[in-house]
């Protein structure tokens, strides 16, 4: 495309230069000829007053020699026979007798080409006797073409400069048009090869800018779709951990025997496979996927979700002899979180309690409405977490069977999707307390305008 544009511009400019330069050169050539013969006519007119007074050969010779053309031997005077006398010719004659007679007969100036080069101007002049004398002026070829060669050289230089300039402008314009297209094609190849960070600078002509904007938007959507897919795979796999925990605990109570051992081995194998799926999804997760919470558009009643999930876990807690305390769920508490997301977060927290504390360890779930946020506390009377910061870190090295580190990550993503956070500390029961701070947006609070200010001040006090 770039070279095609250059060729088109070169052809058009060359045609324009030829169309204007050639006629202009011919006009200059004609002007030089007219100038030379006009000067010759003026020189011929200088001898006219002398011819009107006298036809004496001596006086005419002196008059001719006193002129510029006569001194250069470029003037001649042809006087016809007067009163039966002989014709008189003064100066160096170059024109033939026929041309002289033709000029005298027609009574107007004529030009004649000479065989040796150059031209002559034959100017008729009336004498006092009524006869016609002819003044001959020699015009050399150098005078006729004076300045013509220089004019052609100048025109050729100007034309060449125009062609070179037009080619340079066309090349720059072509580069400006082609470079964004090349970048767009290169980014498309990179995206096709799996490099999801490929983007195109949004510059160049309007059409290419629109194409770059559309490509970047498409690439962002591809990254978002892949991230959502991997997050969904990880979340769904992690949600399988809840029934797996129940299966593992039930398998542990089967006692001894081949069937019991096979059941426990199958449950362990299934747990390892689920852990592998979760770790793989975590490793392939795009860094720019960001927090994927339920969003402010979906909401649920936290009290209803917590009561529902506690009904599920209470049966297992009763089998293991765990004391369960539930508080703050006797009234409706609306959250800007989708019900499946909140349920997954609660299952992750409660699953950690059953997994990492011995049987018979009591635990509690409390819900507090703080005005601008809802706080969900899950606490137990276990041994606690030695390094809370490491527990909150996204993922782990996968060195522990049955743990992927995604449980607290799910909880944190749900909280951060609303502007909240997750904290781990020591509970009143003596073990671990996970504090989930879920901020309420304006819709959940009925359009309260001071939510953000109270949220900032509360976080400062907590800090």
């Amino acid at each position: 495309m770039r070279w095609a544009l250059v060729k088109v511009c070169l052809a058009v400019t060359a045609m324009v230069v030829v169309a204007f330069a050639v006629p202009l050169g011919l006009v200059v050539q004609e002007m030089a000829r007219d100038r030379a013969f006009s000067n010759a006519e003026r020189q011929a007119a200088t001898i006219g007053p002398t011819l009107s007074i006298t036809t004496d050969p001596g006086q005419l010779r002196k008059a001719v020699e006193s002129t510029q053309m006569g001194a250069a031997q470029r003037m001649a005077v042809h006087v016809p026979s007067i009163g039966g006398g002989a014709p008189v010719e003064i100066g160096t004659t170059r024109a033939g007798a026929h041309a002289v007679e033709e000029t005298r007969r027609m009574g107007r100036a004529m030009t004649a080409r000479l065989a040796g080069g150059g031209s002559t101007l034959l100017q008729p002049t009336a004498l006092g006797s009524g006869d016609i004398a002819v003044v001959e002026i020699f015009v050399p070829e150098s005078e006729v073409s004076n300045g013509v060669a220089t004019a052609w050289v100048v025109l050729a230089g100007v034309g060449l400069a125009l062609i070179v300039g037009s080619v340079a402008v066309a090349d720059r314009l072509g580069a400006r048009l082609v470079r964004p297209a090349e970048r767009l094609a290169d980014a498309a190849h990179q995206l096709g090869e799996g490099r999801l960070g490929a983007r195109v600078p949004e510059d160049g002509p309007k059409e290419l800018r629109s194409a770059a904007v559309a490509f970047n938007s498409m690439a962002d959507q591809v990254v978002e779709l892949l991230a959502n897919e991997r997050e969904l795979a990880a979340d769904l796999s992690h949600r399988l951990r809840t029934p797996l925990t129940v299966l593992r605990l039930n398998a542990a109570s089967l006692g001894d025997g081949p069937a019991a051992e096979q059941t426990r081995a199958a449950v362990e194998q299934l747990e390892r496979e689920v852990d592998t799926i979760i770790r793989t999804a975590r490793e392939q997760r795009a860094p720019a996927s960001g927090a994927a919470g339920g969003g402010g558009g979906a909401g649920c009643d936290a009290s209803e979700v917590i009561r529902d999930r506690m009904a599920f876990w209470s049966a297992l807690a009763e089998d293991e002899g765990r004391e369960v305390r539930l508080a703050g769920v006797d009234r409706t508490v609306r959250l800007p979180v989708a019900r499946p997301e909140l349920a997954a977060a609660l299952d992750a927290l409660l699953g950690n309690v059953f997994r990492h504390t011995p049987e018979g360890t009591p635990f509690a779930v409390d819900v507090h409405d703080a005005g601008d946020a809802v706080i969900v506390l899950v606490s137990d009377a276990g041994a606690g977490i030695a390094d809370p910061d490491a527990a909150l870190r996204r993922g782990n090295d996968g060195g522990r069977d049955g743990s992927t580190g995604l449980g607290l990550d799910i909880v944190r993503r749900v909280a951060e999707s609303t502007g909240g956070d997750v904290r781990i500390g020591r509970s009143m029961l003596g073990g671990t307390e996970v504090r989930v701070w879920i901020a309420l947006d304006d819709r959940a609070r009925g359009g309260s305008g001071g939510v953000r200010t109270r949220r900032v001040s509360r976080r400062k006090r907590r800090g």
Side-chain angles (χ1 to χ4, degrees):
M1 179 179 178
R2 179 177 178 181
W3 289 114
L5 184 61
V6 169
K7 291 177 182 178
V8 171
C9 190
L10 176 62
V12 172
T13 307
M15 293 174 60
V16 171
V17 168
V18 171
F20 282 93
V22 172
L24 186 59
L26 296 177
V27 169
V28 171
Q29 184 175 351
E30 188 65 24
M31 289 177 61
R33 179 183 175 82
D34 292 344
R35 184 174 61 249
F37 281 98
S38 296
N39 183 49
E41 289 179 357
R42 286 194 301 271
Q43 294 295 329
T46 59
I47 200 68
T50 303
L51 289 172
S52 64
I53 295 174
T54 181
T55 58
D56 181 65
Q59 293 182 0
L60 288 176
R61 183 174 289 105
K62 290 180 180 179
V64 168
E65 292 176 351
S66 65
T67 62
Q68 179 182 357
M69 291 296 177
Q73 296 184 352
R74 293 172 54 186
M75 178 183 287
V77 179
H78 302 273
V79 180
S81 175
I82 300 175
V88 177
E89 292 187 359
I90 299 171
T92 304
T93 63
R94 294 178 175 83
H98 176 74
V100 173
E101 289 300 327
E102 184 70 16
T103 302
R104 185 179 289 121
R105 184 182 63 83
M106 296 183 63
R108 58 185 179 83
M110 294 181 57
T111 60
R113 295 283 299 176
L114 299 178
S119 303
T120 58
L121 172 68
L122 299 176
Q123 178 71 41
T125 302
L127 301 177
S129 61
D131 295 318
I132 301 297
V134 177
V135 181
E136 177 187 340
I137 301 295
F138 172 66
V139 182
E141 192 66 30
S142 60
E143 188 172 336
V144 174
S145 61
N146 183 27
V148 175
T150 303
W152 279 108
V153 171
V154 171
L155 289 175
V158 172
L160 183 61
L162 288 176
I163 291 175
V164 172
S166 66
V167 169
V169 171
D171 181 71
R172 291 299 89 199
L173 181 61
R176 183 171 178 268
L177 293 174
V178 171
R179 191 174 296 115
E182 291 177 346
R183 287 198 297 261
L184 183 60
D186 182 64
H189 286 303
Q190 293 182 23
L191 188 63
E193 293 172 357
R195 285 176 278 181
L196 302 181
R199 296 295 184 274
V200 182
E202 298 173 2
D203 57 6
K206 180 180 178 181
E207 293 78 6
L208 292 178
R209 285 201 307 271
S210 300
V213 170
F215 177 85
N216 292 337
S217 177
M218 178 196 68
D220 293 338
Q221 291 180 5
V222 169
V223 172
E224 183 178 357
L225 288 175
L226 290 176
N228 291 338
E229 181 181 356
R230 290 163 181 165
E231 290 287 352
L232 180 61
D235 290 351
L236 291 178
S237 300
H238 195 278
R239 291 175 187 180
L240 293 177
R241 301 295 301 277
T242 299
L244 282 177
T245 301
V246 177
L247 289 175
R248 181 175 57 83
L249 296 175
N250 290 337
S253 63
L254 292 178
D256 298 330
E261 292 298 331
Q262 291 177 2
T263 302
R264 283 190 286 269
V267 172
E268 292 176 359
Q269 177 64 27
L270 185 57
E271 283 187 332
R272 284 193 294 269
E273 295 296 334
V274 171
D275 292 343
T276 301
I277 295 174
I278 297 174
R279 283 196 296 268
T280 302
R282 289 292 304 278
E283 291 171 359
Q284 294 180 350
R285 183 183 305 167
S289 61
C300 67
D301 181 6
S303 298
E304 179 185 357
V305 176
I306 293 174
R307 289 195 302 266
D308 178 69
R309 299 318 300 160
M310 286 300 297
F312 172 82
W313 288 98
S314 296
L316 183 58
E318 183 178 355
D319 292 341
E320 294 190 356
R322 298 176 183 267
E323 181 183 350
V324 180
R325 183 174 64 85
L326 183 62
V329 294
D330 53 347
R331 65 182 183 279
T332 300
V333 180
R334 299 295 301 177
L335 294 182
V337 178
R339 180 187 180 91
E341 299 298 328
L342 181 59
L346 289 173
D347 287 340
L349 294 176
L350 296 175
N352 286 340
V353 172
F354 281 86
R355 177 179 297 276
H356 300 297
T357 60
E359 295 185 7
T361 303
F363 66 94
V365 178
D366 299 311
V367 180
H368 300 279
D369 189 352
D372 63 338
V374 173
I375 304 173
V376 179
L377 300 177
V378 178
S379 54
D380 60 65
I385 298 177
D387 191 352
D389 293 334
L392 282 173
R393 210 168 292 131
R394 294 175 68 94
N396 56 36
D397 56 2
R400 292 179 294 138
D401 290 338
S403 176
T404 62
L406 187 59
L408 287 177
D409 183 52
I410 293 175
V411 178
R412 183 170 65 176
R413 285 191 293 109
V414 170
E416 290 180 350
S417 68
T418 67
D421 58 12
V422 177
R423 299 291 181 91
I424 297 179
R426 179 67 64 175
S427 70
M428 297 297 294
L429 300 177
T432 303
E433 177 186 82
V434 180
R435 178 188 298 262
V436 183
W437 182 286
I438 300 177
L440 300 180
D441 59 7
D442 288 346
R443 281 181 297 179
R445 295 301 303 167
S448 175
V451 171
R452 191 62 184 170
T453 304
R454 295 197 301 271
R455 168 73 175 139
V456 173
S457 61
R458 182 177 294 275
R459 296 196 65 171
K460 287 183 178 180
R461 290 197 301 271
R462 286 168 45 191

